[in-house]
Amino acid sequence: MRQVNLNGIDLNLLPPLEALLRLRNVSEAASATGLSQPAMSRTLARLRDVLDDPLLVRVGRQYALTPKASLLQPELHQALQRVSGLFDFSAFDPLQEKRLVRFVGADTHTIQFFPPLVKKMSAEAPGIELSVEPYSPGLFQRMNDGSLDFAFALANTPLPRGLASQPMGQDRLALVMRRGNPAAGSRCTLKQFAKLGHVGVRIFGDGVSEIDRQLAAAGLKREMKLMTPHFMAALATVSQTDLVTTISRAFAEKFAASLDLVVMEPPLTDIELKQTVVYPQLRKDDRFLVWMVAAMQEVARKVYPS
């Protein structure tokens, strides 16, 4: 591999390049970097010459990244963050931090996890703003390109290159139904479990879960009566019907009394749910990220007491 001579490269081109690839708009990139629009246009022309690639191509009324620019964007974003850190010698003080922290999570996280996290941030880092959005395709790519900071996941979730995770707590699957459900009297067998009417939660993908794989291995299949993207909707539905759902025990127990639910052990194996938070590997030494993960783990010890 040819070694690039940095002495022959104008590193002042990197911040405008990052802004152009992130914003895909010459005027907005100029504003973000303090350049005039003509100066940014000249910079884009120079970057195209240096990189031997158009970088931005017009598609209709908007600009799109070329394949080379798409590969370059996440690497450039992370490299600039690390270079900035080399020249930041100030002591880290959460009280002085002002930034938006972007998460991906389910309604279980927004209901269980974020109220105590917001309370902690208000006391220890009042300048932090938290934003949570639902799971969607392209999640991991967005983490690698810097547009997301954290995502909640199970420990057995396969992670692509460039991402790492930290443990958040231990949970378990639970079979949940209303107290008056005919099946609430005693623990059921796997065959009886399959015959119940089920409410499932589909966050993304085809909805096939480890539960379905265990049933299929025994030649069984659940009768799904409702699929929803929300765990709270699953609890609300089983509280008013004879359907059942199989979800997080910690979440179900939070609402068991108010919704008059029975929380039982399901007739399944490997029902532990090891919770983690995922983040970009290249940011693992970021002092704020390290502090934020520690704060989240402190909250998680209360959310997942087991």
Side-chain angles (χ1 to χ4, degrees):
M1 181 176 180
R2 182 173 63 89
Q3 184 69 36
V4 175
N5 181 9
L6 290 178
N7 292 327
I9 298 176
D10 183 357
L11 297 181
N12 290 319
L13 292 172
L14 297 184
L17 174 59
E18 189 279 332
L20 284 164
L21 299 187
R22 173 166 50 87
L23 298 171
R24 305 179 192 187
N25 182 288
V26 173
S27 298
E28 292 180 14
S31 177
T33 54
L35 296 176
S36 66
Q37 183 167 341
M40 180 58 79
S41 295
R42 290 193 296 272
T43 299
L44 175 57
R46 188 175 174 193
L47 285 165
R48 284 170 166 166
D49 181 61
V50 169
L51 295 171
D52 192 25
D53 188 85
L55 300 174
L56 297 173
V57 293
R58 186 174 289 279
V59 178
R61 295 184 178 182
Q62 298 178 325
Y63 281 100
L65 300 184
T66 64
K68 184 174 184 177
S70 295
L71 290 173
L72 182 62
Q73 184 189 21
E75 299 292 338
L76 176 62
H77 177 86
Q78 293 164 357
L80 286 177
Q81 281 193 324
R82 300 200 72 173
V83 170
S84 288
L86 291 175
F87 298 95
D88 181 8
F89 302 107
S90 59
F92 173 68
D93 182 1
L95 286 170
Q96 302 304 317
E97 284 290 322
K98 294 186 182 299
R99 67 169 81 186
L100 171 66
V101 185
R102 299 150 300 182
F103 294 83
V104 167
D107 61 326
T108 52
H109 303 112
T110 56
I111 292 171
Q112 279 182 289
F113 199 88
F114 279 90
L117 184 62
V118 168
K119 184 177 180 180
K120 186 174 180 64
M121 292 298 105
S122 297
E124 300 179 20
I128 300 302
E129 179 184 348
L130 307 180
S131 173
V132 189
E133 60 182 80
Y135 295 92
S136 62
L139 158 64
F140 291 146
Q141 175 59 39
R142 290 182 60 202
M143 297 197 74
N144 269 325
D145 69 23
S147 59
L148 288 171
D149 298 298
F150 297 106
F152 292 96
L154 296 178
N156 59 0
T157 302
L159 297 180
R161 184 178 179 183
L163 297 182
S165 66
Q166 285 287 337
M168 283 289 117
Q170 184 82 8
D171 199 0
R172 292 169 67 82
L173 275 176
L175 175 60
V176 187
M177 63 192 74
R178 70 178 181 90
R179 191 165 299 280
N181 190 309
S186 60
R187 184 171 178 175
C188 60
T189 65
L190 192 62
K191 193 170 185 179
Q192 292 168 331
F193 173 80
K195 288 182 178 180
L196 297 171
H198 290 259
V199 178
V201 179
R202 177 185 291 147
I203 296 176
F204 61 87
D206 60 6
V208 178
S209 68
E210 179 59 32
I211 298 171
D212 299 300
R213 281 186 276 272
Q214 288 193 34
L215 289 171
L220 301 170
K221 183 178 179 181
R222 287 189 290 177
E223 185 176 359
M224 303 304 302
K225 296 295 188 179
L226 172 67
M227 291 297 295
T228 172
H230 305 297
F231 290 90
M232 195 67 225
L235 290 185
T237 301
V238 302
S239 74
Q240 300 175 49
T241 68
D242 282 341
L243 302 181
V244 304
T245 191
T246 310
I247 62 172
S248 153
R249 173 175 284 275
F251 187 69
E253 288 180 342
K254 184 176 181 68
F255 297 97
S258 59
L259 294 178
D260 200 22
L261 300 173
V262 175
V263 181
M264 304 168 57
E265 287 283 301
L268 302 164
T269 59
D270 300 324
I271 62 173
E272 292 185 349
L273 303 173
K274 295 180 179 179
Q275 307 288 332
T276 69
V277 66
V278 178
Y279 56 90
Q281 173 72 30
L282 283 178
R283 292 184 58 199
K284 66 182 179 65
D285 296 323
D286 180 315
R287 290 172 296 173
F288 175 76
L289 183 143
V290 172
W291 180 86
M292 192 72 194
V293 168
M296 293 163 63
Q297 288 175 325
E298 183 179 329
V299 169
R301 284 194 287 271
K302 300 174 183 177
V303 174
Y304 308 112
S306 62

